[in-house]
Amino acid sequence: KQEVTQIPAALSVPEGENLVLNCSFTDSAIYNLQWFRQDPGKGLTSLLLIQSSQREQTSGRLNASLDKSSGRSTLYIAASQPGDSATYLCAVTGNQFYFGTGTSLTVIP
Amino acid sequence: GAVVSQHPSRVICKSGTSVKIECRSLDFQATTMFWYRQFPKKSLMLMATSNEGSKATYEQGVEKDKFLINHASLTLSTLTVTSAHPEDSSFYICSARDGTSGQETQYFGPGTRLLVL
């Protein structure tokens, strides 16, 4: 059974810092991997989608990488801002969706 | 941890029929449930947010008369795709928020694959 783990569970950084969130999964047979942000009481907002054949995707200050062979993905956030404060989830798609437990990010002004 | 189930896990139907997907929170009260869909090779997109006992709030571009959402109890929400067409074929996922825990954790169902022929 696929297991998705995110480290760290919580992260607090001063504004302006670059940071990396980690996601690992146990079964490399995936269709794609997605990163989401979740604001309190709200639904998920999709950030980046990486197909299984791709290595990385970039959107603005966000860069996500995928290494299927090692079962890892990272989300890199450059020049963090207080508005980036949220919970970040990764999810892999196989026969069903498997979500990670999330990383709660706080960016301190 | 908390468990959210979806039924069915997979459904194939003919064009023009209606399909109902159930989302259940098995061991907690879900005051809020979210419905998402994902088209092939596309990101998961929020369709609507439903609060128990009230009408769902739909995201822009989602037809509320086509995607009927009912959240009549604290453990069950249903999504009915009415008069389904092949373009409705997608992966539908629900998530549920435990309103009694005081936390913002959402728990996700495993998804339902819909194929409309």
Side-chain angles (χ1 to χ4, degrees):
Chain A
K1 181 185 174 183
Q2 179 75 272
E3 292 184 4
V4 183
T5 305
Q6 289 187 245
I7 295 174
L11 181 63
S12 183
V13 301
E15 181 178 3
E17 271 203 8
N18 302 324
L19 58 100
V20 175
L21 307 181
N22 297 290
C23 174
S24 62
F25 47 97
T26 55
D27 186 349
S28 62
I30 64 172
Y31 297 131
N32 58 54
L33 183 144
Q34 302 181 60
W35 282 94
F36 303 90
R37 72 172 278 165
Q38 179 188 338
D39 295 286
K42 305 293 184 181
L44 298 181
T45 299
S46 178
L47 298 174
L48 291 165
L49 167 69
I50 310 176
Q51 301 290 351
S52 62
S53 59
Q54 298 175 324
R55 298 281 296 185
E56 67 176 340
Q57 285 287 328
T58 298
S59 176
R61 294 183 293 109
L62 306 178
N63 175 277
S65 67
L66 173 64
D67 184 342
K68 267 184 49 176
S69 60
S70 66
R72 294 180 181 178
S73 175
T74 60
L75 178 66
Y76 175 83
I77 302 177
S80 58
Q81 303 171 358
D84 295 331
S85 298
T87 296
Y88 290 80
L89 289 163
C90 70
V92 298
T93 307
N95 291 324
Q96 65 180 63
F97 264 78
Y98 299 91
F99 285 87
T101 51
T103 294
S104 177
L105 172 65
T106 302
V107 180
I108 304 167
Chain B
V3 176
V4 174
S5 69
Q6 280 186 241
H7 178 79
S9 60
R10 178 176 299 203
V11 57
I12 301 173
C13 68
K14 292 183 178 180
S15 184
T17 61
S18 293
V19 176
K20 179 183 285 188
I21 302 170
E22 294 185 349
C23 176
R24 293 182 184 273
S25 58
L26 299 184
D27 51 6
F28 66 97
Q29 294 182 327
T31 52
T32 304
M33 287 187 169
F34 302 90
W35 284 96
Y36 302 85
R37 66 180 171 186
Q38 180 169 19
F39 296 106
K41 298 188 178 182
K42 300 291 185 182
S43 293
L44 194 68
M45 300 298 293
L46 178 66
M47 298 176 66
T49 302
S50 73
N51 293 297
E52 186 267 337
S54 62
K55 290 183 178 180
T57 301
Y58 290 81
E59 296 298 302
Q60 188 173 7
V62 179
E63 301 175 59
K64 61 181 181 181
D65 294 330
K66 181 167 184 63
F67 299 99
L68 301 178
I69 293 173
N70 183 283
H71 190 171
S73 79
L74 285 171
T75 59
L76 174 64
S77 177
T78 60
L79 167 67
T80 301
V81 183
T82 61
S83 186
H85 291 285
E87 57 266 29
D88 298 323
S89 298
S90 187
F91 205 148
Y92 293 86
I93 290 184
C94 71
S95 71
R97 175 173 164 264
D98 184 347
T100 62
S101 68
Q103 300 179 4
E104 293 296 334
T105 305
Q106 288 186 31
Y107 302 95
F108 293 88
T112 297
R113 287 192 183 275
L114 171 63
L115 177 61
V116 184
L117 303 177

